[in-house]
Amino acid sequence: AQSVTQLDSHVSVSEGTPVLLRCNYSSSYSPSLFWYVQHPNKGLQLLLKYTSAATLVKGINGFEAEFKKSETSFHLTKPSAHMSDAAEYFCVVSDTDTGTASKLTFGTGTRLQVTL
Amino acid sequence: GAGVSQSPRYKVAKRGQDVALRCDPISGHVSLFWYQQALGQGPEFLTYFQNEAQLDKSGLPSDRFFAERPEGSVSTLKIQRTQQEDSAVYLCASSQAGASYEQYFGPGTRLTVT
């Protein structure tokens, strides 16, 4: 069975300071890993994805994440937070399949607060 | 082109009523997923279609939940005899075939059962 654990339910940073959102995963197969963002009253948007290519993945809006198999981690980072980054962030895992789509398993989410 | 759309956006139902939630996927997307997001939680998988075939319904919480996609495009999630615990946001996502393709999510339908 696949699962993800988001280690912080709430993170608060000052604008202009680095962001770190932590995620650990568990998967029986070679996983695909994603980070999605959900702004209030808006749909889920993909930030970035890892699918067994480069272990350092760059996404939209300056976010990136590093896949570390030895630590079973996929932490999300950004060098400098912006007020517009305030949202709910979900770490997501999907078991890789050869040809068919696969369901996503979401973490419980981390709410990022950005203060002036 | 247009993204995934869902209707209605909000639905209030009295306990015991039946409801139907609609999802219009992105044109040409083979795969369609339904997820349930309870307040303060991450979305949880309900069911998955590839074209008109329902390949996985392991996440449906009870036999009161039923989903269909008869022509391989629009999908409907039906909940019979709604209960208060069914209150949640129901999300639809579509993607091209293959596990590495991104799932595009709709805005969701917020169901409140009173």
Side-chain angles (χ1 to χ4, degrees):
Chain A
Q2 54 189 11
S3 66
V4 288
T5 301
Q6 293 185 244
L7 301 171
D8 306 292
S9 60
H10 182 259
V11 170
S12 182
V13 301
S14 300
E15 190 176 35
T17 64
V19 175
L20 170 63
L21 305 184
R22 298 182 295 164
C23 173
N24 289 107
Y25 72 91
S26 173
S27 177
S28 304
Y29 308 98
S30 177
S32 293
L33 291 160
F34 310 80
W35 277 96
Y36 277 82
V37 62
Q38 188 174 41
H39 287 94
N41 298 317
K42 290 191 176 181
L44 285 158
Q45 181 184 19
L46 180 68
L47 278 179
L48 50 81
K49 64 179 180 181
Y50 165 79
T51 54
S52 74
T55 56
L56 182 62
V57 182
K58 293 188 183 298
I60 62 172
N61 300 335
F63 285 95
E64 62 181 39
E66 186 172 7
F67 174 74
K68 292 187 177 181
K69 187 174 181 179
S70 61
E71 299 177 9
T72 60
S73 69
F74 190 59
H75 301 335
L76 181 70
T77 60
K78 182 174 180 178
S80 176
H82 192 273
M83 294 296 289
S84 61
D85 295 328
E88 189 86 17
Y89 291 80
F90 293 97
C91 182
V92 182
V93 65
S94 172
D95 283 338
T96 303
D97 196 283
T98 54
T100 60
S102 184
K103 67 182 181 185
L104 302 179
T105 300
F106 287 75
T108 52
T110 297
R111 180 164 297 279
L112 176 64
Q113 180 181 16
V114 183
T115 58
L116 289 172
Chain B
V4 178
S5 61
Q6 294 186 245
S7 61
R9 291 292 314 277
Y10 303 91
K11 176 70 178 178
V12 178
K14 292 187 177 180
R15 189 169 54 186
Q17 284 184 332
D18 298 348
V19 298
L21 313 179
R22 177 188 170 104
C23 172
D24 284 84
I26 293 172
S27 178
H29 276 190
V30 169
S31 302
L32 186 146
F33 299 81
W34 283 98
Y35 295 85
Q36 180 190 57
Q37 185 175 18
L39 187 65
Q41 301 295 317
E44 293 190 352
F45 170 79
L46 292 176
T47 187
Y48 156 59
F49 291 86
Q50 183 167 310
N51 296 306
E52 68 277 5
Q54 190 174 18
L55 299 186
D56 188 346
K57 53 182 181 179
S58 61
L60 295 176
S62 78
D63 58 8
R64 297 185 295 104
F65 286 71
F66 172 77
E68 61 183 5
R69 194 185 184 197
E71 298 179 357
S73 178
V74 171
S75 177
T76 303
L77 176 67
K78 298 179 179 178
I79 308 174
Q80 298 176 323
R81 304 181 304 281
T82 53
Q83 304 293 315
Q84 283 194 319
E85 61 263 28
D86 300 335
S87 295
V89 175
Y90 291 85
L91 298 167
C92 176
S94 71
S95 77
Q96 298 178 50
S100 62
Y101 286 106
E102 175 184 352
Q103 292 186 24
Y104 292 84
F105 283 81
T109 295
R110 181 177 296 278
L111 173 65
T112 303
V113 181
T114 59

